[in-house]
Structures are given as structure tokens and as C-alpha cells.
Amino acid sequence: MELVPGFVLLMQGLSAKMTAPSFSSLTTVLTGWVFASRHTVTRMILAAGDLADKHFSSYHRLFSAARWSLDALGLAVLDLIEPYLGSVVMLGLDDTLARKRGRKMFGTGMHHDPLLSSRGKAIMNWGHSWVVLGVIVELPFRRGHYYCLPILFRLYLNKKSALKHRRAYRTRPELAVEMLELLCNHRQNRRFHVIADSAYGGQSVLCFLPTNCDLTSRLVKDARLYAALPEHKPGTNGRPRKRGQRLSTPQQMLAGRCRRVTLEIYGRREQARLADQVARVHAAPDRELRVVAAEAVKGGRGQEAFYSTCSDATAEQVICWYAMRWSIEVTNHDSKQCLGFEQPPGWTRRSVERTAPLAMLLYSLIVLWFAREGHRNWRPLNCPWYTSKTEPSFADMLNTLRRLSVRQQVLTLALAGPGSRKLRQLLENAVAMAA
């Protein structure tokens, strides 16, 4: 099998980050990744067919021994996203669990499983915990919808696993700050804005943000908030104050007078009560924040609090920014369901740290290809019982890439005669149903 020329041309943007033999192996692996039913290296080799003309061990060594950097590859994907970026680059930050089996696999441990857990009971599962940083973009073929394209990754090791592998223990927020510093130093003339949930909204991230990066996250409802530090008067006895006057907590803000607004978030219209103020949190008394307290009028999740380091933003902007964070949850889901993020069984350190993230980089490449040319060839399935679908999902993007690649292969056979058109249509429909 071979992928369409447009996708191959897109992959050429990664060629400068590795040697020619490694890039040739990467092209074969990604081609097999698109068509494989199960996403292991051996299945990718089988799916690639005659394109895999090297010994099978060469493709295993691409992950376990080849000299290339995953960070450099991710920053190269950022260069491909450049035409769709605005003046401020929006980022999504989150962690996700890849369930695994086996005790000899590098980096595995017991981690919280958010899919099986409930609000009343937390469930742990064995696997890898990945911290993912992606770029949130609005693409021309679907205005009003946001995609999160992953570019940087870090494998989190719990204390027991870090001790076992003789690695220094680092928390997930510390790994997140490391990725933010890498990205912000790579583009020092750019302004970044990262959106994260409460796990990355504490002082371990807020107090160590790069100078060209802002943060929007959640806040606890009883957070201690303070006004600006008053001017110190000469001759005053005692130690100078570190924080200003105590302000109302987000919960107290909602108990007072609020304004009702209608928000366009999560693809629907919601009415909510909002109250906001400029304040400082206890851990960062020198950083001015826009604090927003929200409560849904009907349904919703009750009372919530958010903050943004963009203190001049409106309350509506902060809520809409945080709603964009959901795009990284969709990315995590699609990467697992369609590209087998959890399936590669590598067990050495390099194999583990490279194989699974490559699935998310492939996700970014497929979405970018679809935005460039694939959307013109999208053909929705004729389902009379499903007439409300008007926009393509990632599964549709992957199906379109497979269908066009097979169509290209069929056309190279130079079929002729009255039945050639029906044969091509039969093969395209077979690929669509198999996908």
C-alpha cells in the first residue's frame, strides 16, 4: 500500500529531523499504521505490504535504537500547523492513561483510571500515564469547532516505578512545565496560552510559567483571594505585607449579585450566572488574575470557578477559553479508538517513550492533511437512520485517507472495459465498510 501524494508530501516536513534510512522506515511504519487492524509493529509491516522492503528488525529498531528525537519531531509538526495559527497560540494540556499488561514493561504502574472511576469511587489501573501538550486550532473546513493536535509528550513515572528504574521522580505538573518551557523557548517571539484542568492549575504550574505563556484553568470554590498589595508607607513599623486585602471567595461571589449570560460552549447554548473580579491567589500574590465564578441556570455542574492570567479578559472569554479544553479529550479518545494508542507492546525505555506518542503525531498529520485537501473528497455514508450528521469525525478523516489511497492503487492497475468502473466502486465501498 501507498498513501496519497498529498499525505506523503506532508510527511516530508519531518524528514529533516532524522536520517534518510530512519525516515524511510518511518514512512513505511506510518503507512502500515493507517491500514493496520491491530497497531503493533509486525501488523504495520504486513499492512504496508511491498513497501516494507527491509528486514523486519529494522522497523523495530526505529523505536528501540535509532537516533532521533521525539521532541524535534513534535516541533516539526508545529511548523506544519503554522498556517492555521493566530496571533496567540492556544495550547491544550492534559494526561491520559494507556492501559497495559506485563510487569517488565518500562514505566508501567498503577494510575487513576478516569473512565472507570466515578465521583464516589476512584479506580486504579495498570499502564502508562502520558502528559500530552497539543495545539488547539480552528480549521477552515469546519468553523466554530476546535481540534487539539498533539506535539509534545512526557511519560509520567509514579514514585515506585521511578525508584525501580532509578529515575528522579517528577510530578505531572513538573513534566508539563518542562514541555511548556521547551515550546516557548523554541518560539520566543510567539505568545502562547495554555488551557488545562485543575490538576495543572495549581502553584506548581502557575508560579513557573514561561514569560510568553498565559494559563486558564479551574479554581476551587473556597479559594483565598486577595487584592493588590497596598503601597508601603515610609516609617511604618512591622514587616511589610505580602498580600493585599482579603476578597470574596468564588462561592461568596455567587451568593451576591450576578449577571445572566448566554454562552455558546460545547456545541450548545447555555444560560449561566457569572460574577468576576481581578484578584490574586495566595500562592502567587504578585500575579494578577481574572477570577470567574459561574453557575448554570439549568442543569450543568453546579457552581464552578475559573481563572486566567489574562487579567484584562472578560468573564465570557475565560469561560469560552476553558471550554476549548474539551478538544484534547476528543483527541485522546480518537487516538485510542482509531489509531491504537494503547496497543503497541514495546517494553524497553526507548520503545515505550516513542511508539505510543507516534500515534498522536499521526493523528495530527491526518487532521492537517484533511484540512489541506482531504475534506474535498469526504463522502458521508448513506445512512437513512442517521440524517443529522453534517460534519466529519476523525474516523471519517481516516476512512477518507484509506479510501483515496486504495483508489490511487486501483487506478494504477490500468483497468479497462465496461466493468472497470463497477470494480473500482466495489473496492472503495469495501474499504469504507472495513474502516
Side-chain angles (χ1 to χ4, degrees):
M1 294 302 303
E2 291 183 3
L3 297 176
V4 292
F7 193 86
V8 176
L9 181 63
L10 186 65
M11 286 195 298
Q12 291 297 321
L14 312 179
S15 60
K17 305 304 177 181
M18 53 178 58
T19 62
S22 295
F23 180 71
S24 175
S25 299
L26 178 68
T27 302
T28 303
V29 167
L30 292 184
T31 302
W33 208 311
V34 170
F35 290 98
S37 57
R38 181 167 176 80
H39 300 89
T40 61
V41 176
T42 51
R43 289 288 184 176
M44 296 170 197
I45 297 173
L46 290 176
D50 293 339
L51 191 63
D53 54 357
K54 299 181 182 179
H55 192 269
F56 65 88
S57 61
S58 300
Y59 302 105
H60 288 278
R61 287 197 298 269
L62 174 68
F63 300 101
S64 62
R67 298 180 62 182
W68 56 276
S69 170
L70 183 65
D71 288 343
L73 218 59
L75 295 177
V77 174
L78 176 65
D79 296 336
L80 299 177
I81 308 174
E82 184 73 29
Y84 306 104
L85 300 179
S87 57
V88 178
V89 181
M90 306 299 293
L91 304 174
L93 178 63
D94 198 13
D95 57 82
T96 185
L97 175 67
R99 301 178 188 87
K100 295 291 182 179
R101 294 180 180 179
R103 293 187 174 274
K104 292 186 178 181
M105 188 176 294
F106 176 84
T108 51
M110 296 299 293
H111 302 284
H112 177 255
D113 193 332
L115 295 181
L116 299 180
S117 303
S118 62
R119 294 187 181 182
K121 185 176 182 180
I123 295 178
M124 308 290 285
N125 220 325
W126 186 261
H128 290 140
S129 179
W130 289 96
V131 183
V132 182
L133 181 66
V135 180
I136 300 176
V137 291
E138 182 184 10
L139 298 174
F141 72 91
R142 191 175 179 183
R143 292 296 182 184
H145 183 83
Y146 296 97
Y147 293 91
C148 183
L149 307 182
I151 56 172
L152 295 177
F153 315 87
R154 289 295 182 271
L155 179 64
Y156 166 73
L157 304 181
N158 59 21
K159 292 182 178 179
K160 187 176 180 180
S161 183
L163 181 63
K164 174 183 176 181
H165 298 290
R166 299 180 181 179
R167 303 282 297 276
Y169 173 73
R170 291 188 295 171
T171 63
R172 292 185 182 91
E174 289 175 344
L175 297 175
V177 171
E178 179 185 336
M179 291 190 292
L180 288 174
E181 289 178 347
L182 173 65
L183 180 59
C184 294
N185 290 333
H186 177 68
R187 294 290 183 87
Q188 296 183 358
N189 59 335
R190 276 283 194 177
R191 191 73 194 172
F192 296 91
H193 189 152
V194 60
I195 307 167
D197 59 11
S198 56
Y200 301 94
Q203 60 180 343
S204 53
V205 175
L206 177 62
C207 298
F208 297 96
L209 283 175
T211 56
N212 58 334
C213 185
D214 289 304
L215 172 65
T216 296
S217 184
R218 291 175 63 94
L219 197 65
V220 293
K221 292 181 290 186
D222 58 348
R224 292 176 292 175
L225 303 177
Y226 300 89
L229 186 66
E231 184 179 355
H232 182 69
K233 298 180 180 179
T236 305
N237 296 329
R239 178 179 63 86
R241 297 186 60 170
K242 292 185 177 180
R243 297 170 183 84
Q245 183 182 0
R246 185 75 177 268
L247 300 178
S248 302
T249 65
Q251 198 167 21
Q252 293 171 343
M253 293 165 58
L254 289 173
R257 188 172 183 178
C258 303
R259 54 193 177 92
R260 291 197 175 195
V261 297
T262 301
L263 301 171
E264 294 279 352
I265 55 176
Y266 303 115
R268 60 181 183 269
R269 297 170 64 91
E270 290 190 3
Q271 289 188 345
R273 298 173 61 245
L274 294 184
D276 65 291
Q277 64 178 349
V278 176
R280 292 156 173 80
V281 294
H282 187 273
D286 298 327
R287 187 128 199 182
E288 198 173 64
L289 308 175
R290 172 65 63 178
V291 178
V292 180
E295 183 178 19
V297 175
K298 292 183 180 180
R301 298 184 52 164
Q303 296 182 351
E304 296 178 299
F306 309 91
Y307 76 85
S308 176
T309 55
C310 298
S311 57
D312 56 344
T314 63
E316 290 85 347
Q317 283 179 320
V318 175
I319 298 294
C320 292
W321 284 338
Y322 189 80
M324 292 166 61
R325 194 200 69 84
W326 186 251
S327 59
I328 196 170
E329 301 286 359
V330 177
T331 296
N332 293 337
H333 172 272
D334 291 341
S335 298
K336 294 177 182 179
Q337 295 291 324
C338 301
L339 296 178
F341 177 77
E342 298 177 308
Q343 294 177 6
W347 60 275
T348 63
R349 174 185 169 184
R350 279 192 172 184
S351 295
V352 168
E353 292 180 343
R354 289 174 168 180
T355 312
L358 200 60
M360 287 199 173
L361 289 180
L362 179 59
Y363 174 94
S364 301
L365 292 175
I366 292 174
V367 174
L368 287 173
W369 168 81
F370 194 84
R372 286 186 175 186
E373 59 181 61
H375 65 279
R376 303 187 189 96
N377 298 282
W378 175 55
R379 187 179 65 190
L381 294 176
N382 184 17
C383 301
W385 57 89
Y386 192 15
T387 59
S388 61
K389 181 176 181 178
T390 58
E391 302 294 346
S393 64
F394 177 75
D396 296 323
M397 300 179 190
L398 182 59
N399 186 17
T400 302
L401 178 59
R402 290 170 174 171
R403 181 173 58 82
L404 294 180
S405 299
V406 171
R407 185 174 187 272
Q408 172 186 266
Q409 292 290 99
V410 173
L411 291 177
T412 59
L413 299 177
L415 298 175
S420 60
R421 181 179 178 183
K422 291 184 178 180
L423 178 58
R424 288 196 298 266
Q425 188 66 39
L426 176 63
L427 289 174
E428 289 185 22
N429 291 339
V431 172
M433 295 304 297

